[in-house]
Amino acid sequence: MENTDWSALGFDYHKTDWNVRYAYTDGRWSDMEVTQDEYIRMHMSASCLHYGLELFEGLKAFRGVDGKVRLFRVADNARRLISSAARLCLPLPTEQMIVDACIEVVKRNARYIPPYGTGASLYLRPVMFGTTAGLGVKPAKDALLIVYCSPVGAYFKSGIKPIMVALDREQDRAAPRGTGDVKVGGNYAASIYSSNNAHALGYSNVLYLDAAEHKFIEECGAANFFGIKDGKYITPKSPSILPSITNMSLRQVAQDMGLTVEQRPVPLEELSTFEECGACGTAAVISPIGKIFDMQTNEVYEFGSEVGKVSMELYTRLQDIQYGRSEDKYGWCTEID
Ligand SMILES: *Cc1c(COP(=O)(O)O)cnc(C)c1O
């Protein structure tokens, strides 16, 4: 990895040396297996292939200003993985198994952790799926849990910049009482058509409304939404929103900045009252939104081409914790040596 141009890396799979796995068969989990094999051998009738019994996670390890490696909120990702597995009636791994696997993957692939100052980081992808062969729709008796990683570049190559978003009322991402609140591949299958359409029209993301009434803001692509106004950090609350760990962290940071945090239904009419708004998630931390275009009504919401002051401060404060530039008061980082 000596000659890698870390800053040029995108968000793509880049081969590393090791991945770790656990297999569930005959009612029990295997020990952790560490392998260099990038492939899996699976029956063509495996339940994940036919009935979407698949879930995943995404988290990052950062090389800090002090040279130490920090894994961000791994226990929270582990708990969310377990909640997704429970929702899909898959065997449940323990929090410890997942955390151990993530730490092992970071340690074994240390040479792929990008240097401090490049904006790049090591992205970890835990993925789990049912592997039982069969035709009928029923819970899988067997499963595989894999954690692998890939170095990824800074989300914004030339500094954090507002994005353009398309509001889509013709496609919904997730239904109330569906699986929107768990991180399963099925939600992505449901949204790929609308996001592909938005990309083709030059937008980087889709803003989804609640599927029942199309009155409330839900999510921004595969990221949570937040708006800023009158000293408040406002983020939608709905049973079909994925509980973003970045959003959870930003709510705490916002509170520390003296903002009032509101997590409640956000009606679409409120959009024009926000001073700033953005999308948040592990990939970019914050993607400030510059413009939202309603594809059905042609209505446009403008927030400017510069990053808002509050969004910028939220972004910087959270990155300061991730890169070890400020105190980790809440114990979000796991240092790895
Ligand atoms: C993963 C994901 C997010 C972001 O969650 P983080 O934990 O902050 O990365 C938001 N929305 C959806 C639909 C997601 O899948």
Side-chain angles (χ1 to χ4, degrees):
M1 295 302 287
E2 286 68 36
N3 299 317
T4 306
D5 182 359
W6 301 101
S7 327
L9 286 176
F11 190 77
D12 285 314
Y13 175 73
H14 190 297
K15 187 182 181 322
T16 61
D17 296 332
W18 301 95
N19 65 84
V20 310
R21 304 165 177 207
Y22 300 98
Y24 188 91
T25 41
D26 301 325
R28 61 179 291 270
W29 283 104
S30 69
D31 289 335
M32 187 196 296
E33 182 203 350
V34 181
T35 175
Q36 297 205 297
D37 192 353
E38 293 172 276
Y39 289 85
I40 50 181
R41 195 173 146 78
M42 190 163 61
H43 197 277
M44 61 187 173
S45 190
S47 42
C48 60
L49 297 176
H50 301 265
Y51 303 124
L53 301 185
E54 186 275 347
L55 60 98
F56 66 98
E57 275 300 325
L59 65 159
K60 281 179 172 177
F62 302 88
R63 173 109 40 208
V65 65
D66 52 3
K68 288 184 182 159
V69 176
R70 289 174 178 79
L71 190 53
F72 190 67
R73 301 197 78 163
V74 60
D76 291 285
N77 285 93
R79 285 192 282 269
R80 191 169 67 186
L81 188 156
I82 294 166
S83 75
S84 301
R87 181 68 174 80
L88 297 187
C89 301
L90 284 169
L92 305 185
T94 64
E95 196 178 308
Q96 197 62 49
M97 282 169 62
I98 304 161
V99 171
D100 288 349
C102 290
I103 292 173
E104 190 68 26
V105 159
V106 174
K107 283 187 177 171
R108 295 229 178 212
N109 295 295
R111 67 192 188 105
Y112 297 94
I113 308 169
Y116 176 73
T118 56
S121 54
L122 188 71
Y123 182 80
L124 274 70
R125 170 54 61 91
V127 60
M128 182 175 157
F129 40 88
T131 53
T132 306
L135 278 182
V137 182
K138 50 179 181 277
K141 294 199 308 296
D142 314 272
L144 203 55
L145 167 59
I146 303 177
V147 181
Y148 67 86
C149 66
S150 174
V152 295
Y155 194 84
F156 293 101
K157 295 278 171 251
S158 43
I160 176 171
K161 265 208 309 280
I163 58 166
M164 298 219 299
V165 168
L167 200 165
D168 193 349
R169 299 157 191 268
E170 298 198 327
Q171 295 273 320
D172 297 314
R173 187 193 77 93
R177 297 175 288 277
T179 54
D181 61 340
V182 285
K183 208 167 176 76
V184 301
N187 296 333
Y188 282 74
S191 66
I192 193 129
Y193 191 87
S194 63
S195 70
N196 191 45
N197 187 32
H199 285 155
L201 295 169
Y203 297 94
S204 30
N205 236 328
V206 176
L207 186 68
Y208 294 103
L209 301 180
D210 75 285
E213 298 186 279
H214 282 186
K215 281 189 182 154
F216 299 95
I217 298 172
E218 287 255 306
E219 292 209 61
C220 189
N224 278 186
F225 175 88
F226 70 90
I228 305 290
K229 68 170 176 188
D230 310 326
K232 289 188 265 191
Y233 177 97
I234 301 164
T235 191
K237 185 182 171 98
S238 143
S240 43
I241 289 177
L242 194 277
S244 153
I245 292 162
T246 311
N247 192 355
M248 207 199 309
S249 311
L250 289 173
R251 292 199 297 274
Q252 183 62 60
V253 170
Q255 209 177 306
D256 294 349
M257 281 165 57
L259 298 169
T260 303
V261 173
E262 292 181 2
Q263 196 177 9
R264 56 161 170 83
V266 178
L268 180 61
E269 298 85 71
E270 197 175 348
L271 193 50
S272 59
T273 71
F274 290 131
E275 295 149 14
E276 303 174 22
C277 65
C280 61
T282 295
V285 181
I286 287 178
S287 300
I289 297 174
K291 181 173 159 181
I292 300 174
F293 175 66
D294 189 324
M295 296 204 284
Q296 277 76 46
T297 66
N298 291 341
E299 214 164 323
V300 178
Y301 304 84
E302 302 248 31
F303 301 94
S305 55
E306 298 295 323
V307 186
K309 263 179 59 188
V310 177
S311 303
M312 196 63 221
E313 187 173 348
L314 285 164
Y315 175 82
T316 307
R317 283 192 182 222
L318 189 54
Q319 289 253 285
D320 283 348
I321 297 171
Q322 294 173 326
Y323 284 109
R325 293 187 297 245
S326 71
E327 192 203 342
D328 177 24
K329 318 193 252 192
Y330 304 106
W332 288 341
C333 302
T334 303
E335 284 181 13
I336 294 177
D337 27 57

